[in-house]
Amino acid sequence: MAKATNTSIDLDINFDRNLLSNDVALRRDEEAIKRSLRNLILLRKNEKPFHPEISSGVQDILFELVDPIAVVELKKRIANMIRVYETRVNAATIDIVDVLDKNEIRITIHFTIKNVQRLFSTTVALQRLR
Amino acid sequence: MSNTSNTPIDSLEFDQIKTNLKEYLRGQEQFKDYDFEGSALSIVLDLLAYNTHYQAFYANMVANESFLDSAVMRQSVVSLAKHLNYTPRSRKASQLVVDVVLTPGNPATDAFTQSVVQGKKFLEKGSIFRGKDLEGKAVNFVTLDTYKAARVNGENIVQNVTLYQGYQKRLSYVANTQGGTAARFTIPDLSVDIDTVGVVVQRSQTDSTGTAQIWKRSTDVNKLDSTSTVFFTQQGRDGLWEVYFGDGVVGKAIENGNLVTILYVNTNGAAGNGIGFNDTPTKRVITCSDNTVYEVRVKTDANGKVLSSFGGQNPEDTESIRYYAPRNYQAQDRAVTADDYKALLGREYSDRADAFFIWGGEENDPPQYGKVYISIKPKVGSRLSLSEKQAIEKTILGQRNLVTITPEVVDPEILYINPSVTIYYDESKTTMNAEGVQSRASTFIKSFNNSYLGMFERDFRQSKFSSIIDGSSPAVNSNTVDITLSKMFEPNLGRAAPYNIKFDNELLHPIDGYSPILSSSVFGYQDLTSSAVTKPIVDCYMDDDGYGVVRIYKLDGANKIVVIKNIGTIDYTTGLVTLRNFKAEYLADGATTLSLTVVPKKKDIFGRRNQILMIDSTGISVTAIPEKTAIKKNASDAAFNG
């Protein structure tokens, strides 16, 4: 099985401490890309300085009713976002599950990384806080 | 790591700064995800770039706002102008000069009239008058001086009362100078006319000593001592005006507990201009709340034109401050060079004048050493009155110019351009008929006059003029323009005198003996060709003989009969018409001036020195000719009209 060899090295956005080196923790390879996808999905309009256009718009439709049309729209936006801003990822499949009991939307992205013959997936859950 | 010496530091834009940071990261192995917008590193780069951009912008703004040339914010420009001892102009109240007629009465029986005769009746300062603006809204005026009434021509009248547009307001402060703090009093009103501010300083709230004296605004510290009852003004950071006083050395200081009362006029500025324009002897438009006022008459000029309110201005804008502050500093409140005169007049008289032109007497034609000439184009009318000229010469310039130089204010010379325009237009491209096309072109010509002419040092360019007419309608195919020039002068009727009329442009004269290019309006002249013993006065005109000699002729039907063969000369090269012993007896009905018209050699006309070029709306001639559109351009034998 092919394994990514540190093609991606990113900071951990939580700025956790690496227990061994006492340095800031790093994310590597698919973990770095999963974090990147998560960040992209959660980006709101105007959140990125001077680039208001970089936004998935997911949070804009959170207050819409989760009907099939909203789900299709959401998938389209996320797919578009990944295509433009996360070019390390090949065509991704997006599943959106509406967990009514928990007032939660669960977005799962199944993707492959370029030059890596393996399927990865990451899940982002959007849940009401109160 | 990358070579940091290659990292540029001159970028100000966010994206460029971020790109520079990415370039820097490319040279290391620790992080690789800087190129992806979703990465945490990208977020960190965003923060770094944002902070750098913020600091760069801030430093740039601070530097910009520190110089008069580059400051953008008004408060910065005002503050920098303060270093040059320049106080920006506040809003200015429009002024209206009126005669106020009081209650009529018989001086033998009426006590009020007797008081007037005895000089005991006054129009008090603060009297309120009302008029209406162009939209019919009520507008207030107020007097700032007390005027004595007099008995003139059987009327109880107060003559030449200056009304200021606006309301007079009053503010009171108790001075607190404890702890050595300088007392400053803000006028919380952006509509104040700072020139109308008067201050009364009362010893305390309970002691009225000092109320009889009004402290004056000072603009020149050189004339002040420790007893000068003056105040100073400056514009604060919020645009509000502040009043402050001397320190006891330069200007009298105020004391702790003094009651400072500030009187000022709150005005509409430029919106107060033009009021009273519709005043007529049968319908007066200005009223007064004082019940002893019978009638308010707006003044008229020598030609009977109503002198409506004028001089109202909005606060000086940033660009004007930027322009005048260094020039004012350069002049140092002294009039030495032509630019000094311009700066001083710009500061002191720009509310009443559109433009100034100044030249030394040595440059005059003929030279007049020891003089400086100032030509002013007033905002209202075409020339200043004698009293206004004297006021400028003595009050504004007389105290500041060299003692050996005499300033003389002269009227601008108006050179009228009379365009005769023929327009060829495509009927199929417009719904207008020929009259409509002509009318629209006339409107554009008037607009051209307002935009390109009417000021000193402006020239008439025929190509620009033609392009304006071409643009008057999409249907206009082309146009041709013929130009004549006119100049007016006031002859001394019944008295022989020489006259020089300068057109200052080369005149049409292809060959000697060419047909006349000079013409005039009608005037009365003694008919020396008459066989009568007493030579009659007949309608006459002027022209030239084609050899540079000016003649006077009368008309017999369509035939010209020369009355005077040589009354002067015309120089076709310089455009100078000289008349010798010209004695007109009368002018056309209602006219006060005689008009001379010439044909220039070129269609580009130049305004020199204090000449102002204008298109006389009565001299515009436009002819619109429709062209057929169905010309078959690919058929050589096609008839012109298809």
Side-chain angles (χ1 to χ4, degrees):
Chain A
M1 187 175 67
K3 181 174 169 54
T5 53
N6 291 346
T7 53
S8 297
I9 307 173
D10 193 8
L11 284 171
D12 184 346
I13 196 67
N14 296 325
F15 289 94
D16 290 335
R17 184 163 61 104
N18 184 320
L19 295 174
L20 293 176
S21 66
N22 274 339
D23 205 344
V24 178
L26 299 179
R27 294 272 174 175
R28 294 170 193 275
D29 300 330
E30 69 269 18
E31 285 306 311
I33 292 171
K34 283 177 184 174
R35 279 300 174 115
S36 174
L37 287 171
R38 179 190 166 86
N39 289 341
L40 282 175
I41 290 168
L42 295 178
L43 261 183
R44 295 175 188 224
K45 225 174 230 179
N46 296 313
E47 201 168 2
K48 218 159 178 53
F50 298 91
H51 287 283
E53 77 283 2
I54 302 180
S55 157
S56 69
V58 169
Q59 306 212 31
D60 297 340
I61 62 169
L62 281 183
F63 292 95
E64 304 290 330
L65 288 176
V66 185
D67 56 15
I69 294 175
V71 168
V72 170
E73 178 66 20
L74 204 51
K75 281 184 179 176
K76 208 162 83 180
R77 287 187 185 191
I78 293 169
N80 196 42
M81 185 85 181
I82 293 170
R83 184 176 55 78
V84 176
Y85 295 110
E86 192 43 271
T87 50
R88 290 172 290 187
V89 167
N90 277 330
T93 309
I94 299 157
D95 290 334
I96 295 179
V97 180
D98 175 17
V99 188
L100 288 173
D101 295 344
K102 294 184 178 176
N103 290 321
E104 182 181 291
I105 293 175
R106 218 172 272 169
I107 302 168
T108 305
I109 302 166
H110 306 281
F111 62 95
T112 57
I113 301 170
K114 284 178 180 168
N115 299 325
V116 178
Q117 299 300 314
R118 187 180 152 197
L119 187 66
F120 301 97
S121 67
T122 183
T123 300
V124 181
L126 300 172
Q127 190 177 31
R128 63 175 289 176
L129 295 175
R130 58 194 174 100
Chain B
M1 293 293 282
S2 72
N3 183 357
T4 52
S5 65
N6 291 333
T7 308
I9 57 167
D10 57 344
S11 307
L12 293 179
E13 294 300 323
F14 174 85
D15 283 336
Q16 191 58 46
I17 294 166
K18 194 174 172 187
T19 305
N20 292 343
L21 291 173
K22 286 180 184 175
E23 289 299 325
Y24 171 77
L25 287 174
R26 278 187 220 290
Q28 48 77 55
E29 289 295 323
Q30 288 93 327
F31 302 105
K32 293 185 176 176
D33 287 3
Y34 42 79
D35 264 343
F36 302 98
E37 296 299 336
S39 68
L41 198 55
S42 177
I43 294 170
V44 173
L45 291 184
D46 279 342
L47 287 173
L48 289 171
Y50 175 71
N51 185 54
T52 308
H53 176 76
Y54 185 96
Q55 296 293 345
F57 177 80
Y58 187 73
N60 193 42
M61 283 296 288
V62 168
N64 273 349
E65 297 300 310
S66 302
F67 298 98
L68 190 60
D69 283 338
S70 54
V72 175
M73 294 165 70
R74 182 185 166 85
Q75 63 189 44
S76 304
V77 175
V78 170
S79 176
L80 292 164
K82 218 179 275 180
H83 300 168
L84 300 174
N85 191 31
Y86 185 78
T87 307
R89 193 181 56 240
S90 70
R91 192 174 278 215
K92 287 208 72 157
S94 182
Q95 295 176 27
L96 181 64
V97 183
V98 296
D99 289 340
V100 179
V101 183
L102 304 180
T103 310
N106 186 336
T109 56
D110 179 43
F112 180 84
T113 306
Q114 285 166 358
S115 301
V116 172
V117 172
Q118 292 162 6
K120 293 179 180 172
K121 280 291 168 195
F122 296 91
L123 183 68
E124 298 294 338
K125 74 166 74 169
S127 298
I128 296 169
F129 292 74
R130 282 210 170 79
K132 285 186 177 170
D133 67 10
L134 300 175
E135 295 171 355
K137 285 186 199 159
V139 177
N140 234 48
F141 285 88
V142 66
T143 53
L144 297 183
D145 291 299
T146 299
Y147 296 86
K148 187 189 279 186
R151 185 82 179 160
V152 179
N153 297 332
E155 288 183 316
N156 301 330
I157 193 165
V158 189
Q159 290 182 309
N160 298 322
V161 177
T162 302
L163 308 181
Y164 292 82
Q165 190 280 311
Y167 296 85
Q168 194 166 37
K169 293 196 169 183
R170 172 188 291 262
L171 290 166
S172 290
Y173 292 97
V174 177
N176 178 5
T177 58
Q178 284 180 327
T181 52
R184 281 188 186 168
F185 307 99
T186 301
I187 302 174
D189 190 339
L190 290 169
S191 300
V192 59
D193 176 352
I194 205 70
D195 291 338
T196 64
V197 172
V199 171
V200 176
V201 180
Q202 190 175 319
R203 182 167 289 170
S204 72
Q205 285 175 283
T206 53
D207 183 347
S208 63
T209 307
T211 48
Q213 190 178 19
I214 292 184
W215 293 39
K216 298 265 172 36
R217 180 173 171 232
S218 171
T219 54
D220 187 355
V221 293
N222 293 321
K223 296 170 185 168
L224 303 182
D225 59 28
S226 60
T227 60
S228 305
T229 48
V230 296
F231 65 90
F232 307 94
T233 54
Q234 66 177 8
Q235 210 171 12
R237 291 180 67 78
D238 45 11
L240 296 175
W241 286 86
E242 293 172 348
V243 169
Y244 62 102
F245 295 86
D247 57 359
V249 178
V250 179
K252 188 176 177 180
I254 59 166
E255 295 166 8
N256 194 43
N258 282 168
L259 180 67
V260 177
T261 302
I262 300 169
L263 295 160
Y264 68 93
V265 171
N266 162 296
T267 179
N268 296 349
N273 290 337
I275 291 163
F277 73 99
N278 51 351
D279 187 75
T280 63
T282 53
K283 189 188 171 195
R284 297 297 177 188
V285 297
I286 306 293
T287 58
C288 180
S289 56
D290 186 336
N291 56 16
T292 64
V293 172
Y294 176 69
E295 186 176 81
V296 182
R297 297 171 185 163
V298 179
K299 301 285 277 188
T300 55
D301 66 10
N303 298 324
K305 188 182 170 191
V306 175
L307 298 172
S308 56
S309 62
F310 67 98
Q313 279 191 315
N314 294 330
E316 187 170 11
D317 61 35
T318 307
E319 288 310 312
S320 175
I321 299 170
R322 208 193 304 278
Y323 179 79
Y324 277 113
R327 281 158 184 80
N328 194 61
Y329 178 71
Q330 184 187 21
Q332 292 283 319
D333 218 29
R334 297 283 178 271
V336 180
T337 67
D339 280 348
D340 297 345
Y341 282 86
K342 206 170 179 180
L344 279 170
L345 289 166
R347 188 184 73 187
E348 304 274 346
Y349 209 72
S350 62
D351 53 330
R352 299 184 191 185
D354 275 336
F356 311 98
F357 192 82
I358 292 107
W359 71 99
E362 74 282 2
E363 294 173 343
N364 198 53
D365 181 20
Q368 293 284 326
Y369 296 101
K371 279 197 167 184
V372 62
Y373 290 95
I374 301 106
S375 198
I376 298 176
K377 182 178 182 294
K379 282 188 189 293
V380 179
S382 59
R383 58 182 62 186
L384 299 175
S385 68
L386 188 61
S387 59
E388 284 176 308
K389 287 178 187 171
Q390 287 172 343
I392 293 167
E393 288 166 1
K394 289 178 184 166
T395 314
I396 299 178
L397 301 175
Q399 297 170 359
R400 297 180 171 109
N401 71 329
L402 297 176
V403 285
T404 52
I405 302 291
T406 309
E408 184 174 334
V409 179
V410 296
D411 292 321
E413 292 187 17
I414 311 290
L415 181 59
Y416 290 102
I417 298 169
N418 312 304
S420 178
V421 181
T422 305
I423 295 174
Y424 300 94
Y425 73 100
D426 187 338
E427 280 182 308
S428 68
K429 289 184 181 170
T430 179
T431 55
M432 288 188 287
N433 58 13
E435 284 76 25
V437 174
Q438 287 167 195
S439 167
R440 194 163 164 77
S442 295
T443 307
F444 272 62
I445 291 172
K446 287 170 193 165
S447 162
F448 177 89
N449 181 53
N450 295 335
S451 303
Y452 291 94
L453 304 175
M455 287 286 180
F456 296 116
E457 301 175 275
R458 290 200 180 169
D459 301 326
F460 174 90
R461 297 286 179 182
Q462 189 251 324
S463 62
K464 276 187 186 161
F465 181 75
S466 288
S467 66
I468 293 281
I469 296 168
D470 278 347
S472 65
S473 164
V476 174
N477 289 336
S478 66
N479 70 80
T480 59
V481 180
D482 288 319
I483 301 284
T484 60
L485 303 177
S486 292
K487 209 154 185 188
M488 314 284 185
F489 72 100
E490 290 180 30
N492 283 325
L493 295 180
R495 187 176 296 174
Y499 299 94
N500 287 334
I501 298 100
K502 298 173 188 170
F503 287 93
D504 283 324
N505 282 275
E506 194 172 356
L507 305 181
L508 183 66
H509 184 63
I511 51 167
D512 279 347
Y514 190 70
S515 56
I517 55 126
L518 172 70
S519 59
S520 76
S521 57
V522 66
F523 56 90
Y525 212 85
Q526 197 170 32
D527 182 7
L528 299 180
T529 62
S530 169
S531 56
V533 177
T534 305
K535 307 293 184 192
I537 310 293
V538 295
D539 282 357
C540 285
Y541 307 87
M542 263 184 267
D543 74 353
D544 65 303
D545 67 353
Y547 292 93
V549 176
V550 178
R551 308 176 295 194
I552 293 178
Y553 68 89
K554 66 178 182 179
L555 287 175
D556 180 12
N559 297 326
K560 290 181 179 179
I561 298 172
V562 175
V563 174
I564 306 276
K565 285 182 182 173
N566 187 339
I567 191 68
T569 58
I570 178 168
D571 187 326
Y572 299 110
T573 309
T574 61
L576 174 66
V577 177
T578 307
L579 302 179
R580 293 184 303 269
N581 296 322
F582 178 70
K583 185 183 169 191
E585 300 290 347
Y586 59 79
L587 299 173
D589 283 346
T592 57
T593 56
L594 182 61
S595 162
L596 287 188
T597 302
V598 294
V599 182
K601 184 180 179 185
K602 294 176 182 170
K603 290 179 183 174
D604 284 349
I605 308 298
F606 304 102
R608 297 179 209 278
R609 196 167 288 141
N610 63 329
Q611 228 168 29
I612 294 178
L613 304 183
M614 292 181 83
I615 293 176
D616 185 0
S617 57
T618 60
I620 299 172
S621 162
V622 182
T623 308
I625 299 173
E627 284 184 334
K628 302 295 179 187
T629 56
I631 302 169
K632 294 173 185 170
K633 292 185 186 290
N634 58 350
S636 60
D637 58 345
F640 176 73
N641 59 4

